[in-house]
Amino acid sequence: MAFHRFYETWFDNLHLLVDQLTQAPKPPTTQDHHHLLHQLVQKTMGHYAEYYRVKSLAAKQDVLSVFAAPWSTSLERSLHWIGGWRPTTAFHLVYTESSIMFESQIMDILRGVRTGDLGDLSPGQFRRVSELQCDTVREENAITNELSEWQDGASDMLGNLCGNIDEKIEGLGRALEKADDLRLRTLRNVVEILTPQQAVQFLVAAAELQFGVHAWGLNHDRRRSNK
């Protein structure tokens, strides 16, 4: 319950951060603007890091409750991968936002006008994003396999509840810890590849996706409870 309260406050503060990100000057026209964007990106990344820090503490107290995520909607839980969002979602978001912005500004880009946003990713940035995606997929698969092995051992756990239940639960906690570490590292590595302007756009898009899924989930749960 303590983490539930933390999450509600954290989620409200994420809304405030996104308001700051969307109000920042784009494109940045002065060095001060560049510095402001950099500060906002670092502040947002710190906000995500704090979430995973507190979540890790909560998981050490009760990993099963953290896995169940009662603070999330039914829709959000249906999309979870090992207690949260799938890290490779970040790359789909980069490619989608880049494609949308590129198409909306294609005439300017063909005339050689550099927009500096996600629609203007350089070949080097695309290469680094692609390489990072491959590495992330490999780590995702390894953690998924680890969880599958844990689940395969569930029958043994049920047959010997008094003997190794604590050890089994600790294994689940380790899988969650690795998944959350990959989630945060993926965000950090993507942001590191992008310019401050691009990072702002990526973080806004990621948060808006989170807000949208949460709102859809709330509406669905309310309709279901009213039946």
Side-chain angles (χ1 to χ4, degrees), residues 84-151:
W85 56 276
R86 185 176 286 274
T88 45
T89 303
F91 303 102
H92 299 307
L93 195 60
V94 169
Y95 295 138
T96 298
E97 291 296 311
S98 177
S99 177
I100 291 172
M101 291 183 182
F102 177 83
E103 290 177 3
S104 68
Q105 299 161 162
I106 188 168
M107 295 309 298
D108 288 337
I109 293 173
L110 289 176
R111 288 197 296 266
V113 177
R114 302 304 302 269
T115 59
D117 57 22
L118 283 174
D120 194 21
L121 291 173
S122 69
Q125 285 178 309
F126 271 118
R127 186 191 70 253
R128 292 176 66 193
V129 169
S130 178
E131 291 171 350
L132 178 60
Q133 182 180 15
C134 291
D135 291 340
T136 304
V137 167
R138 282 193 290 271
E139 287 198 62
E140 260 191 19
N141 290 340
I143 299 171
T144 298
N145 290 338
E146 183 175 327
L147 182 63
S148 295
E149 291 176 3
W150 185 89
Q151 292 171 330

Coordinates of all heavy atoms in Angstrom, one line a residue, residues 84-151:
G84 N 6.2 -4.8 -15.6 CA 6.3 -3.4 -16.2 C 6.3 -3.5 -17.7 O 6.0 -4.5 -18.3
W85 N 6.6 -2.3 -18.3 CA 6.6 -2.2 -19.8 C 7.8 -3.0 -20.4 O 8.9 -3.1 -19.8 CB 6.6 -0.8 -20.2 CG 7.7 0.0 -19.7 CD1 7.8 0.7 -18.5 CD2 9.0 0.3 -20.3 NE1 9.0 1.3 -18.3 CE2 9.8 1.1 -19.5 CE3 9.5 0.0 -21.6 CZ2 11.0 1.6 -19.8 CZ3 10.8 0.5 -21.9 CH2 11.5 1.3 -21.0
R86 N 7.6 -3.5 -21.6 CA 8.7 -4.2 -22.3 C 9.7 -3.2 -22.8 O 9.4 -2.3 -23.5 CB 8.1 -5.0 -23.5 CG 9.1 -5.9 -24.2 CD 8.4 -6.7 -25.2 NE 7.6 -7.8 -24.7 CZ 8.1 -9.0 -24.4 NH1 9.4 -9.3 -24.6 NH2 7.3 -9.9 -23.8
P87 N 11.0 -3.4 -22.5 CA 12.0 -2.4 -22.9 C 12.0 -2.1 -24.4 O 12.3 -1.0 -24.8 CB 13.3 -3.1 -22.4 CG 12.9 -3.9 -21.2 CD 11.5 -4.4 -21.6
T88 N 11.8 -3.1 -25.2 CA 11.9 -2.9 -26.7 C 10.8 -1.9 -27.2 O 10.8 -1.5 -28.3 CB 11.9 -4.2 -27.4 OG1 10.8 -5.0 -26.9 CG2 13.2 -4.9 -27.4
T89 N 9.8 -1.7 -26.3 CA 8.8 -0.7 -26.7 C 9.4 0.7 -27.0 O 8.9 1.4 -27.8 CB 7.7 -0.5 -25.5 OG1 7.2 -1.8 -25.2 CG2 6.6 0.4 -25.9
A90 N 10.5 1.0 -26.3 CA 11.2 2.3 -26.5 C 11.6 2.5 -28.0 O 11.5 3.6 -28.5 CB 12.4 2.4 -25.6
F91 N 12.0 1.4 -28.6 CA 12.5 1.5 -30.0 C 11.4 1.6 -30.9 O 11.5 2.4 -31.9 CB 13.4 0.3 -30.3 CG 14.5 0.1 -29.3 CD1 14.5 -0.9 -28.3 CD2 15.6 0.9 -29.4 CE1 15.5 -1.0 -27.4 CE2 16.7 0.8 -28.5 CZ 16.6 -0.2 -27.5
H92 N 10.3 0.9 -30.7 CA 9.1 1.1 -31.5 C 8.6 2.6 -31.5 O 8.2 3.1 -32.5 CB 8.0 0.2 -31.1 CG 8.3 -1.3 -31.2 ND1 8.8 -1.8 -32.3 CD2 8.3 -2.3 -30.3 CE1 9.1 -3.1 -32.1 NE2 8.8 -3.4 -30.9
L93 N 8.7 3.2 -30.3 CA 8.3 4.5 -30.1 C 9.2 5.5 -30.9 O 8.7 6.4 -31.5 CB 8.3 4.9 -28.6 CG 7.6 6.1 -28.2 CD1 6.1 6.1 -28.5 CD2 7.7 6.3 -26.7
V94 N 10.5 5.3 -30.8 CA 11.5 6.1 -31.5 C 11.2 6.0 -33.0 O 11.1 7.1 -33.7 CB 12.9 5.7 -31.2 CG1 13.9 6.4 -32.2 CG2 13.3 6.0 -29.8
Y95 N 11.0 4.8 -33.6 CA 10.8 4.7 -35.0 C 9.5 5.3 -35.4 O 9.4 5.9 -36.5 CB 10.8 3.2 -35.4 CG 12.2 2.5 -35.2 CD1 12.3 1.3 -34.6 CD2 13.4 3.2 -35.5 CE1 13.5 0.7 -34.4 CE2 14.6 2.6 -35.3 CZ 14.7 1.3 -34.8 OH 15.9 0.7 -34.6
T96 N 8.4 5.1 -34.6 CA 7.1 5.7 -34.9 C 7.1 7.2 -34.9 O 6.7 7.8 -35.9 CB 6.1 5.2 -33.9 OG1 6.0 3.7 -34.0 CG2 4.7 5.7 -34.3
E97 N 7.7 7.8 -33.9 CA 7.7 9.2 -33.8 C 8.6 9.8 -34.9 O 8.3 10.8 -35.5 CB 8.3 9.7 -32.4 CG 7.3 9.4 -31.3 CD 6.0 10.2 -31.4 OE1 6.1 11.4 -31.6 OE2 4.9 9.5 -31.3
S98 N 9.7 9.1 -35.2 CA 10.6 9.6 -36.2 C 9.9 9.6 -37.6 O 10.0 10.5 -38.4 CB 11.9 8.7 -36.3 OG 12.7 9.1 -37.4
S99 N 9.2 8.5 -37.9 CA 8.5 8.4 -39.1 C 7.4 9.5 -39.3 O 7.2 10.1 -40.3 CB 7.8 7.0 -39.2 OG 7.1 6.9 -40.4
I100 N 6.6 9.7 -38.2 CA 5.5 10.7 -38.3 C 6.1 12.1 -38.5 O 5.6 12.8 -39.4 CB 4.7 10.7 -36.9 CG1 3.9 9.4 -36.8 CG2 3.8 11.9 -36.9 CD1 3.3 9.2 -35.5
M101 N 7.2 12.4 -37.8 CA 7.8 13.8 -38.0 C 8.4 13.9 -39.3 O 8.4 15.0 -39.9 CB 8.8 14.0 -36.8 CG 8.1 14.2 -35.5 SD 9.3 14.6 -34.2 CE 8.2 14.6 -32.7
F102 N 9.1 12.8 -39.8 CA 9.7 12.9 -41.1 C 8.7 13.1 -42.2 O 8.9 14.0 -43.1 CB 10.5 11.6 -41.4 CG 11.1 11.5 -42.7 CD1 12.4 12.1 -42.9 CD2 10.5 10.9 -43.8 CE1 13.0 12.1 -44.2 CE2 11.1 10.9 -45.0 CZ 12.3 11.5 -45.2
E103 N 7.6 12.4 -42.1 CA 6.6 12.6 -43.2 C 5.9 14.0 -43.1 O 5.6 14.5 -44.2 CB 5.5 11.5 -43.0 CG 6.0 10.1 -43.3 CD 4.9 9.1 -43.1 OE1 3.8 9.4 -42.7 OE2 5.2 7.9 -43.2
S104 N 5.8 14.5 -41.9 CA 5.2 15.9 -41.8 C 6.1 17.0 -42.3 O 5.6 18.1 -42.6 CB 4.7 16.1 -40.4 OG 5.8 16.3 -39.5
Q105 N 7.4 16.7 -42.4 CA 8.4 17.7 -42.7 C 9.2 17.4 -43.9 O 10.3 17.9 -44.1 CB 9.3 18.0 -41.5 CG 8.5 18.5 -40.3 CD 9.3 18.3 -39.0 OE1 9.0 18.9 -38.0 NE2 10.3 17.5 -39.0
I106 N 8.7 16.4 -44.7 CA 9.6 15.9 -45.7 C 10.0 16.9 -46.8 O 11.2 16.9 -47.2 CB 8.8 14.7 -46.5 CG1 9.8 14.0 -47.4 CG2 7.6 15.2 -47.2 CD1 9.3 12.7 -47.9
M107 N 9.2 17.9 -47.1 CA 9.6 18.9 -48.0 C 10.7 19.8 -47.5 O 11.7 20.1 -48.3 CB 8.4 19.8 -48.4 CG 7.3 19.0 -49.1 SD 7.8 18.1 -50.5 CE 8.5 19.4 -51.6
D108 N 10.6 20.1 -46.2 CA 11.7 20.9 -45.6 C 13.0 20.1 -45.6 O 14.1 20.6 -46.0 CB 11.4 21.3 -44.2 CG 10.3 22.4 -44.2 OD1 10.2 23.1 -45.2 OD2 9.6 22.5 -43.1
I109 N 12.9 18.8 -45.3 CA 14.1 18.0 -45.2 C 14.7 17.8 -46.6 O 16.0 17.8 -46.8 CB 13.7 16.6 -44.6 CG1 13.3 16.8 -43.1 CG2 14.9 15.6 -44.7 CD1 12.8 15.5 -42.5
L110 N 13.9 17.6 -47.6 CA 14.4 17.5 -49.0 C 15.1 18.7 -49.5 O 16.0 18.7 -50.3 CB 13.2 17.1 -49.9 CG 12.7 15.7 -49.8 CD1 11.5 15.5 -50.7 CD2 13.8 14.6 -50.0
R111 N 14.7 19.9 -48.9 CA 15.3 21.2 -49.3 C 16.6 21.4 -48.5 O 17.3 22.4 -48.6 CB 14.4 22.3 -49.1 CG 13.2 22.4 -50.1 CD 12.6 23.8 -50.1 NE 11.9 24.0 -48.8 CZ 10.6 23.8 -48.6 NH1 9.9 23.2 -49.5 NH2 10.1 24.0 -47.4
G112 N 16.9 20.4 -47.6 CA 18.1 20.6 -46.8 C 18.0 21.3 -45.5 O 19.0 21.6 -44.8
V113 N 16.7 21.6 -45.1 CA 16.5 22.3 -43.9 C 16.6 21.2 -42.7 O 15.8 20.2 -42.7 CB 15.1 22.9 -43.9 CG1 14.8 23.6 -42.5 CG2 15.0 24.0 -45.0
R114 N 17.4 21.5 -41.8 CA 17.6 20.6 -40.6 C 16.6 21.0 -39.5 O 16.6 22.1 -39.0 CB 19.0 20.6 -40.1 CG 20.1 20.2 -41.1 CD 19.8 18.9 -41.8 NE 19.7 17.8 -40.8 CZ 20.8 17.1 -40.4 NH1 22.0 17.3 -41.0 NH2 20.7 16.1 -39.5
T115 N 15.7 20.0 -39.2 CA 14.7 20.3 -38.2 C 15.2 20.0 -36.8 O 14.8 20.6 -35.8 CB 13.4 19.5 -38.4 OG1 13.8 18.1 -38.4 CG2 12.8 19.9 -39.8
G116 N 16.2 19.1 -36.7 CA 16.8 18.8 -35.4 C 15.9 18.0 -34.4 O 16.3 17.7 -33.3
D117 N 14.7 17.5 -34.9 CA 13.8 16.7 -34.1 C 14.0 15.3 -34.4 O 14.9 14.8 -35.1 CB 12.4 17.2 -34.3 CG 11.9 17.2 -35.7 OD1 12.5 16.4 -36.5 OD2 10.9 17.9 -36.0
L118 N 13.1 14.4 -33.9 CA 13.1 13.0 -34.1 C 12.9 12.6 -35.6 O 13.3 11.5 -36.0 CB 12.1 12.3 -33.3 CG 12.4 12.1 -31.8 CD1 11.2 11.5 -31.0 CD2 13.7 11.3 -31.6
G119 N 12.4 13.5 -36.4 CA 12.3 13.2 -37.8 C 13.6 13.5 -38.6 O 13.7 13.2 -39.8
D120 N 14.6 14.0 -37.8 CA 15.8 14.3 -38.4 C 17.0 13.5 -37.8 O 18.1 14.1 -37.6 CB 16.1 15.9 -38.2 CG 17.2 16.4 -39.1 OD1 17.5 15.8 -40.1 OD2 17.7 17.5 -38.7
L121 N 16.7 12.3 -37.5 CA 17.8 11.4 -36.9 C 18.9 11.2 -38.0 O 18.6 11.0 -39.1 CB 17.2 10.1 -36.5 CG 16.3 10.1 -35.3 CD1 15.7 8.7 -35.1 CD2 17.0 10.5 -34.0
S122 N 20.1 11.3 -37.5 CA 21.2 11.0 -38.5 C 21.4 9.6 -38.7 O 20.9 8.7 -37.9 CB 22.5 11.6 -37.9 OG 22.9 10.9 -36.8
P123 N 22.1 9.2 -39.8 CA 22.4 7.8 -40.0 C 23.1 7.1 -38.9 O 22.9 6.0 -38.5 CB 23.3 7.8 -41.3 CG 22.9 9.1 -42.0 CD 22.6 10.0 -40.9
G124 N 24.0 7.9 -38.3 CA 24.8 7.4 -37.1 C 23.8 7.1 -35.9 O 24.0 6.1 -35.2
Q125 N 22.8 8.0 -35.7 CA 21.9 7.7 -34.6 C 21.0 6.5 -34.9 O 20.8 5.7 -34.0 CB 21.0 9.0 -34.5 CG 21.7 10.1 -33.8 CD 20.8 11.3 -33.7 OE1 20.2 11.8 -34.7 NE2 20.6 11.9 -32.5
F126 N 20.6 6.4 -36.2 CA 19.8 5.2 -36.5 C 20.6 3.9 -36.3 O 20.1 2.9 -35.8 CB 19.4 5.3 -38.0 CG 18.0 5.9 -38.2 CD1 18.0 7.1 -38.9 CD2 16.9 5.4 -37.7 CE1 16.7 7.7 -39.1 CE2 15.7 6.0 -37.8 CZ 15.6 7.2 -38.6
R127 N 21.9 3.9 -36.6 CA 22.7 2.8 -36.4 C 22.9 2.4 -35.0 O 22.7 1.3 -34.6 CB 24.1 3.0 -37.0 CG 25.0 1.8 -37.0 CD 26.5 2.1 -37.3 NE 27.1 2.8 -36.3 CZ 27.4 4.1 -36.4 NH1 27.2 4.8 -37.5 NH2 28.0 4.8 -35.4
R128 N 23.1 3.4 -34.1 CA 23.3 3.2 -32.7 C 22.0 2.7 -32.1 O 22.0 1.8 -31.2 CB 23.7 4.5 -32.0 CG 25.1 4.9 -32.4 CD 25.5 6.2 -31.7 NE 25.6 6.1 -30.3 CZ 25.6 7.2 -29.5 NH1 25.6 8.4 -30.0 NH2 25.7 7.0 -28.2
V129 N 20.8 3.3 -32.5 CA 19.5 2.8 -32.0 C 19.3 1.3 -32.4 O 18.8 0.5 -31.6 CB 18.4 3.7 -32.5 CG1 17.0 3.1 -32.2 CG2 18.4 5.1 -31.9
S130 N 19.6 1.0 -33.6 CA 19.5 -0.4 -34.1 C 20.3 -1.3 -33.3 O 19.9 -2.4 -32.9 CB 19.8 -0.5 -35.6 OG 19.7 -1.8 -36.1
E131 N 21.6 -1.0 -33.1 CA 22.5 -1.8 -32.3 C 22.0 -2.0 -30.9 O 22.0 -3.1 -30.3 CB 23.9 -1.2 -32.3 CG 24.6 -1.2 -33.7 CD 25.9 -0.5 -33.7 OE1 26.1 0.3 -32.7 OE2 26.6 -0.5 -34.7
L132 N 21.5 -0.9 -30.3 CA 21.0 -1.0 -28.9 C 19.8 -1.9 -28.9 O 19.6 -2.6 -27.9 CB 20.7 0.4 -28.4 CG 20.1 0.5 -27.0 CD1 21.1 -0.1 -26.0 CD2 19.8 2.0 -26.7
Q133 N 18.9 -1.8 -29.9 CA 17.7 -2.6 -29.9 C 18.1 -4.1 -30.0 O 17.5 -4.9 -29.2 CB 16.9 -2.2 -31.2 CG 15.6 -3.0 -31.3 CD 14.8 -2.7 -32.5 OE1 15.3 -2.0 -33.4 NE2 13.5 -3.1 -32.5
C134 N 19.1 -4.4 -30.8 CA 19.5 -5.8 -30.8 C 20.0 -6.3 -29.5 O 19.7 -7.4 -29.0 CB 20.6 -6.0 -31.9 SG 20.0 -5.8 -33.6
D135 N 20.8 -5.5 -28.8 CA 21.3 -5.9 -27.5 C 20.2 -6.0 -26.5 O 20.2 -7.0 -25.7 CB 22.3 -4.8 -27.0 CG 23.6 -4.8 -27.8 OD1 23.9 -5.8 -28.5 OD2 24.3 -3.7 -27.7
T136 N 19.2 -5.1 -26.6 CA 18.1 -5.1 -25.6 C 17.2 -6.4 -25.8 O 16.7 -7.0 -24.9 CB 17.3 -3.9 -25.8 OG1 18.1 -2.7 -25.6 CG2 16.1 -3.8 -24.7
V137 N 17.0 -6.7 -27.1 CA 16.2 -7.9 -27.4 C 16.9 -9.2 -26.8 O 16.2 -10.0 -26.2 CB 16.0 -8.1 -29.0 CG1 15.5 -9.5 -29.3 CG2 15.1 -7.0 -29.5
R138 N 18.2 -9.2 -26.9 CA 18.9 -10.4 -26.4 C 18.7 -10.5 -24.8 O 18.5 -11.5 -24.3 CB 20.4 -10.3 -26.7 CG 20.7 -10.8 -28.1 CD 22.2 -11.0 -28.3 NE 22.9 -9.7 -28.3 CZ 23.2 -9.0 -29.4 NH1 22.7 -9.3 -30.6 NH2 23.9 -7.8 -29.3
E139 N 18.8 -9.3 -24.2 CA 18.7 -9.3 -22.7 C 17.2 -9.6 -22.3 O 17.0 -10.3 -21.4 CB 19.1 -7.9 -22.2 CG 20.6 -7.7 -22.2 CD 21.0 -6.6 -21.2 OE1 20.7 -6.7 -20.0 OE2 21.5 -5.6 -21.7
E140 N 16.3 -9.1 -23.1 CA 14.9 -9.4 -22.9 C 14.6 -10.9 -22.9 O 14.0 -11.5 -22.0 CB 14.0 -8.7 -23.9 CG 13.3 -7.4 -23.4 CD 12.3 -7.0 -24.4 OE1 11.8 -7.8 -25.3 OE2 11.9 -5.8 -24.4
N141 N 15.1 -11.5 -24.0 CA 14.9 -12.9 -24.2 C 15.6 -13.7 -23.0 O 15.0 -14.7 -22.6 CB 15.5 -13.4 -25.5 CG 14.7 -12.9 -26.7 OD1 13.5 -12.5 -26.6 ND2 15.3 -12.8 -27.9
A142 N 16.7 -13.3 -22.6 CA 17.4 -14.0 -21.5 C 16.6 -14.0 -20.2 O 16.4 -15.0 -19.5 CB 18.8 -13.5 -21.3
I143 N 16.0 -12.8 -19.9 CA 15.2 -12.6 -18.7 C 13.9 -13.4 -18.8 O 13.4 -14.0 -17.9 CB 15.0 -11.2 -18.4 CG1 16.3 -10.4 -18.2 CG2 14.1 -11.0 -17.2 CD1 16.2 -8.9 -18.1
T144 N 13.3 -13.4 -20.0 CA 12.1 -14.1 -20.3 C 12.3 -15.6 -20.0 O 11.5 -16.3 -19.4 CB 11.6 -13.9 -21.7 OG1 11.3 -12.5 -21.9 CG2 10.3 -14.7 -22.0
N145 N 13.5 -16.1 -20.5 CA 13.8 -17.5 -20.3 C 14.0 -17.9 -18.9 O 13.6 -18.9 -18.4 CB 15.1 -17.9 -21.1 CG 14.8 -17.9 -22.6 OD1 13.7 -18.0 -23.1 ND2 15.9 -17.7 -23.4
E146 N 14.6 -16.9 -18.1 CA 14.8 -17.1 -16.7 C 13.5 -17.2 -16.0 O 13.3 -18.1 -15.1 CB 15.6 -16.0 -16.1 CG 16.0 -16.1 -14.7 CD 16.9 -15.0 -14.2 OE1 17.7 -14.5 -15.0 OE2 16.8 -14.6 -13.0
L147 N 12.5 -16.4 -16.3 CA 11.2 -16.4 -15.7 C 10.5 -17.7 -16.1 O 9.8 -18.3 -15.3 CB 10.4 -15.2 -16.1 CG 9.0 -15.1 -15.5 CD1 9.1 -15.0 -14.0 CD2 8.2 -14.0 -16.0
S148 N 10.6 -18.1 -17.3 CA 10.0 -19.4 -17.8 C 10.5 -20.6 -17.0 O 9.7 -21.5 -16.6 CB 10.3 -19.6 -19.3 OG 9.7 -18.6 -20.1
E149 N 11.8 -20.6 -16.7 CA 12.4 -21.6 -15.9 C 11.8 -21.6 -14.5 O 11.5 -22.6 -13.8 CB 13.9 -21.5 -15.8 CG 14.6 -21.8 -17.2 CD 16.1 -21.6 -17.1 OE1 16.6 -21.3 -16.0 OE2 16.7 -21.8 -18.2
W150 N 11.6 -20.4 -13.9 CA 11.1 -20.2 -12.6 C 9.6 -20.8 -12.6 O 9.2 -21.5 -11.7 CB 11.0 -18.7 -12.2 CG 10.6 -18.5 -10.8 CD1 11.3 -18.4 -9.7 CD2 9.2 -18.3 -10.4 NE1 10.5 -18.2 -8.6 CE2 9.2 -18.1 -9.0 CE3 8.0 -18.2 -11.1 CZ2 8.1 -17.8 -8.3 CZ3 6.8 -17.9 -10.3 CH2 6.9 -17.8 -8.9
Q151 N 8.9 -20.4 -13.7 CA 7.5 -20.9 -13.7 C 7.4 -22.4 -13.9 O 6.5 -23.1 -13.4 CB 6.7 -20.2 -14.9 CG 6.5 -18.7 -14.6 CD 6.0 -18.0 -15.8 OE1 6.3 -18.4 -16.9 NE2 5.3 -16.9 -15.6

